[in-house]
């Protein structure tokens, strides 16, 4: 199964949000692949930090996530949640 | 070259902290020891043993990264610490792990296999621009960590440099910067890097004088030479003349005043620090803060699965109070909502989060339980330490909201009383950050002990200009006459009652505006710790009557340009 998600974190899938995404992808039994939704690139292993960061996904880009396996549904839910959550800010708030 | 008093060599780069320091140059080249020789013949290598060596090194690297992550979170902040999460993921990357193991299988020793497996990915990211090139730095950092562990190379321990060292390096990786100790490092200078590099962010958080991006010219400075780093001007001077050193030592940036200060004509102004974590308290003391003017409590709540309990919060507030036994610590109750989602809080998305349910609106609504827990911890902490605890409520827009918050404090106090707990009711205050709060400041002031003006949000709301939106950034200036008048109004309301009035927005730390703010009649200014020495120096130099006349002329102005002209002509007189 698969779904398409718009990437919300301001930094796109760079160091910090990517680490969170890859870590989560690694925790599921399902085989998970991601690719930019524009369809030009082959899906890459979602549990590989190298592969995910090299997609160069920016905020606002649509990402297609494909998961196969017993917990595929749960995996998609969780990964979608990560991609749709803005980064917590630590700018001064006064 | 003999030291020539008249001929110091100077270098220009990007200054990243408004601080300067003088010390002894120490070149740091962590990769020099990691150069590998030719690998031995493939049949001389025991592949099984090499695979085990690699796996052991990888496990040790994971442990190191975990430790560095914790240390960085504590000293600098969660955001910077998260870079180590990326490193841990790179270390575990199947492409890299497989690459190393198949190279080992092919007869390479573990360290050569590591070097070879990282080669392509590093080259791939190097060829990309901006953020992607930073990933190449991350990969090099991870690779060098593995190589060091595999070759038992000495790790230069940057946390144990001799005091007064000025660190010179090609670049500083996140792992390097995580070790820096502002007690020992008098400054650092790098060949590469910009204002937003990891090294720059750490330098600002830790208050270390630093200049980055000098270029290869830096290499003409030798180990052991005397070096002056001016992080404000972005310059580095090798072999500075005695006169130059003295000027640096006299510079307003290095002159920390621990004592409280007054204007030249004797008006005392409290100068305090804004902090978000317990780790920042020490830096505030080092810069001469009289107390804490804004303790943001969000950091206690972010990045975790469940809210901190009363005991955990009590310990944090107590620690903050203990840091300033003779000062005041102003704690802001939880200010979240909209832009700062917290996983365990139910915060529905809003079209206009900044105009939505945030701050006190949540504390009196969905987060009422959290609010009570926080107040219980605060009231108990107030009794546990000798310093003055003040508690303020964010985002208040109406008198009933303030009264409801004050009633909650009363209820919590009554509950603690009947439970026989040790507690004290702290000073209670309100933040002036909505235009409505500024308009009804008199009514608010009558009900509280103090008011603190949060100029960042106040400016955003008065000007109706989202501070994150670059297209309207120009409107987001606290020197707009409308904002100044809102501030003036709050101060007048405070003067009409017994409430003291402070300011804890970024404006308070701009030393160019100190005269204006003192002239407006603020009793307290709270800011990032690094700007405290500057602002204290400004205050002692200024005359109350001149400041007041400047404030009058500034609030009469009709445009920001006029305000700016008036501020600068007075400053330059």
């Amino acid at each position: 199964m698969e779904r398409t998600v718009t990437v919300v974190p301001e930094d796109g899938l760079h160091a910090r949000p990517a680490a969170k995404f890859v870590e989560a992808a690694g925790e599921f039994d399902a085989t998970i692949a991601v690719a930019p939704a524009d369809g030009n690139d082959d899906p890459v292993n979602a549990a590989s930090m190298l592969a995910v960061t090299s997609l160069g996904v920016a905020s606002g880009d649509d990402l297609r996530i494909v998961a196969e396996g017993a917990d595929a549904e749960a995996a998609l839910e969780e990964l979608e949640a990560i991609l749709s959550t803005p980064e917590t800010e630590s700018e001064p708030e006064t | 070259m003999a030291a020539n008093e008249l001929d110091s060599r100077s270098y220009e780069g990007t200054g990243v902290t408004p601080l300067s320091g003088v010390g002894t140059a120490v070149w740091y080249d962590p990769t020099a020891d990691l150069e590998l020789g030719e690998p031995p013949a493939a049949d001389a290598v025991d592949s099984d043993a090499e695979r085990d060596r690699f796996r052991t090194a990888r496990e040790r690297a994971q442990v190191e990264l975990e430790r560095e992550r914790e240390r960085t979170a504590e000293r600098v902040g969660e955001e910077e610490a998260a870079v180590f999460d990326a490193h841990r993921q790179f270390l575990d990357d199947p492409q890299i792990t497989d690459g190393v193991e198949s190279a080992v299988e092919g007869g390479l020793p573990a360290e050569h296999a590591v070097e070879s497996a990282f080669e392509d990915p590093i080259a791939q990211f190097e060829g990309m621009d901006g953020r992607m090139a930073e990933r190449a730095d991350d990969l090099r950092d991870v690779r060098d960590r593995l190589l060091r562990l595999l070759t038992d190379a000495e790790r230069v321990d940057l946390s144990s440099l001799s005091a007064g060292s000025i660190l010179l390096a090609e670049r500083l990786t996140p792992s390097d910067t995580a070790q820096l100790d502002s007690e020992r490092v008098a400054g650092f200078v790098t060949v590469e890097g910009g204002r937003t590099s990891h090294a720059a962010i750490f330098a600002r958080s830790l208050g270390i004088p630093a200049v980055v991006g000098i270029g290869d010219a830096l290499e003409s400075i030798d180990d052991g030479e005397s070096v002056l780093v001016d992080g404000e001007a972005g310059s580095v001077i090798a072999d500075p003349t005695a006169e130059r050193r003295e000027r640096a030592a006299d510079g307003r940036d290095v002159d920390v005043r621990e004592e409280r200060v007054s204007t030249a004509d004797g008006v005392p102004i409290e100068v305090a620090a804004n902090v978000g974590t317990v780790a920042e308290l020490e830096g505030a003391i080092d810069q001469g803060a009289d107390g804490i003017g804004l303790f943001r409590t969000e950091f206690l709540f972010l990045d975790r699965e469940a809210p901190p309990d009363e005991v955990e919060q009590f310990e944090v507030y107590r620690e903050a109070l203990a840091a300033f036994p003779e000062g005041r610590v102003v704690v802001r109750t939880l200010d979240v909502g909209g832009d700062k989602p917290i996983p365990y809080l139910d915060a529905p998305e809003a079209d206009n989060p900044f105009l939505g349910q945030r701050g006190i609106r949540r504390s009196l609504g969905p987060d009422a339980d959290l609010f009570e827990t926080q107040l219980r911890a605060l009231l108990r902490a107030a009794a546990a330490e000798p310093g003055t605890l003040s508690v303020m409520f964010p985002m208040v827009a109406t008198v009933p909201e303030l009264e409801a918050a004050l009633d909650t404090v009363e209820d919590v106090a009554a509950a603690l009383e009947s439970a026989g707990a040790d507690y004290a009711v702290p000073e209670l205050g309100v933040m002036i950050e909505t235009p409505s709060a500024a308009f009804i400041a008199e009514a608010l002031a009558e009900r509280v002990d103090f008011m603190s003006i949060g100029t960042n949000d106040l400016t955003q709301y008065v000007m109706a200009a989202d501070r994150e939106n670059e297209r309207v950034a120009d409107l987001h200036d606290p020197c707009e006459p409308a904002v100044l008048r809102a501030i003036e109004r709050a101060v007048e309301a405070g003067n009409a009652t017994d409430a003291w009035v402070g300011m804890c927005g970024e404006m308070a730390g701009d030393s160019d505006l100190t005269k204006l703010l003192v002239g407006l009649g603020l009793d307290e200014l709270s800011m990032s710790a690094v700007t405290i020495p500057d602002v204290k120096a400004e205050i002692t130099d200024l005359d109350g009557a001149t400041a007041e006349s400047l404030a009058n002329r500034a609030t009469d102005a009709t445009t920001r340009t006029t305000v700016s002209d008036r501020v600068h002509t007075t400053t330059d007189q």
Side-chain angles (χ1 to χ4, degrees), chain B residues 9 11 27 216-222 225 238:
Chain B
R9 290 162 291 140
Y11 308 84
W27 266 101
D216 291 336
L218 186 65
E219 281 157 24
S220 62
I221 300 182
D222 293 324
E225 274 194 279

Side-chain angles (χ1 to χ4, degrees), chain A residues 11 14-16 19 22-23 45 47-50 53-54 56 86 88 90 92-94, chain B residues 79 82 89-90 93 124-125 131-132 294 296 332 339-340 358 433 456-457 467 504-505:
Chain A
D11 285 346
H14 285 292
R16 200 153 43 118
V22 171
E23 185 173 3
N45 182 357
S48 160
M49 183 71 181
L50 269 180
T53 46
S54 63
T88 48
S90 65
E93 280 288 334
T94 50
Chain B
E79 188 164 351
Q89 295 301 335
F90 278 127
D93 193 278
Q124 186 195 346
F125 281 111
R131 308 295 303 263
M132 304 299 273
L294 170 64
R296 302 182 183 98
R332 177 173 69 186
D339 64 324
K340 284 183 273 185
R358 56 180 296 210
E433 51 188 343
N456 303 351
D457 272 339
R467 61 193 219 211
C504 60

